[in-house]
Amino acid sequence: KNIATVLGQILAMFFLFFVLAFREKVLKIDLRRFKFQGGIVRDIYAVGFPSIVMQSIGSLMTVGMNAILIRFTETAVAFFGVYFKLQSFVFMPVFGLNQGVMPVIGYNYGARQRHRVTSAVKVGCSIAVCICCTACGFIFISSGSTLFRIRFLL
C-alpha cells in the first residue's frame, strides 16, 4: 500500500549519500575536531523546545481524533483527513503571511520604530482576518446555507 513512499524515501537516502560521499563539497566537515559541548545543545533545545511541543501536540491530537473516529467508521477518519487538507488551504497563506511580517516587525523593532511595528501588526492581522473570513464565506455559500438561499433568491 505505502511501498511507493518507502521506496521513494530509500532512493532519496541513497542519492543523498552518493552526493555527500562523492561530490565536491563547498563546506568540509572534519569530525576528528568535533567536540560535543552540552551547553550548546542545551541552548539549541531551549530555543527549539516550544516548537517541538507545539508540533507534538498537533500530532497527538490527530492520533487521538483518529482513534476516536475509527470507533465509528473509516469514513469518519477519511473525512477528518479531508478536513485537514482543506484547512491547510486557509491556514497556509496565513502562516506564510506570518513568516513575511515577522522580519518586518523585527527590523522595525530593532530600529525603535514603534509606529511601524504597530502598523505591520495591524496590516498583517487585517490581511489574515480577510483570508479567514473569505474562506468562511466560501464554506458558508458552498454549503448551501438556507439563510443564503432565502436572502438572495427572494
Side-chain angles (χ1 to χ4, degrees):
K1 197 174 184 179
N2 294 326
I3 192 83
T5 303
V6 173
L7 284 176
Q9 294 288 331
I10 290 171
L11 287 173
M13 178 190 70
F14 283 125
F15 175 74
L16 193 61
F17 279 147
F18 173 78
V19 169
L20 290 175
F22 299 110
R23 303 285 271 189
E24 187 176 334
K25 297 164 193 66
V26 176
L27 176 66
K28 296 192 183 345
I29 298 174
D30 185 12
L31 293 178
R32 288 175 285 167
R33 295 194 299 172
F34 176 76
K35 187 169 86 175
F36 180 81
Q37 294 178 338
I40 292 175
V41 174
R42 186 188 68 240
D43 291 344
I44 291 170
Y45 274 100
V47 170
F49 188 72
S51 295
I52 293 170
V53 170
M54 291 302 293
Q55 288 287 350
S56 300
I57 288 172
S59 298
L60 289 174
M61 189 272 307
T62 303
V63 168
M65 281 299 294
N66 283 339
I68 292 168
L69 292 174
I70 197 69
R71 292 181 182 169
F72 297 104
T73 62
E74 288 182 15
T75 307
V77 176
F79 182 80
F80 186 63
V82 169
Y83 160 74
F84 259 78
K85 294 292 182 189
L86 292 175
Q87 175 190 12
S88 69
F89 282 120
V90 176
F91 286 115
M92 287 302 163
V94 174
F95 293 152
L97 179 69
N98 179 39
Q99 294 300 314
V101 168
M102 289 301 280
V104 173
I105 293 170
Y107 298 147
N108 287 303
Y109 181 79
R112 300 183 198 276
Q113 300 283 330
R114 288 189 62 97
H115 66 282
R116 285 181 154 184
V117 171
T118 6
S119 175
V121 169
K122 286 178 184 177
V123 169
C125 288
S126 299
I127 294 171
V129 167
C130 287
I131 291 170
C132 291
C133 288
T134 302
C136 288
F138 280 127
I139 292 168
F140 182 74
I141 290 169
S142 66
S143 68
S145 171
T146 309
L147 177 65
F148 182 76
R149 274 188 264 139
I150 290 173
R151 178 174 245 184
F152 291 102
L153 292 179
L154 288 179

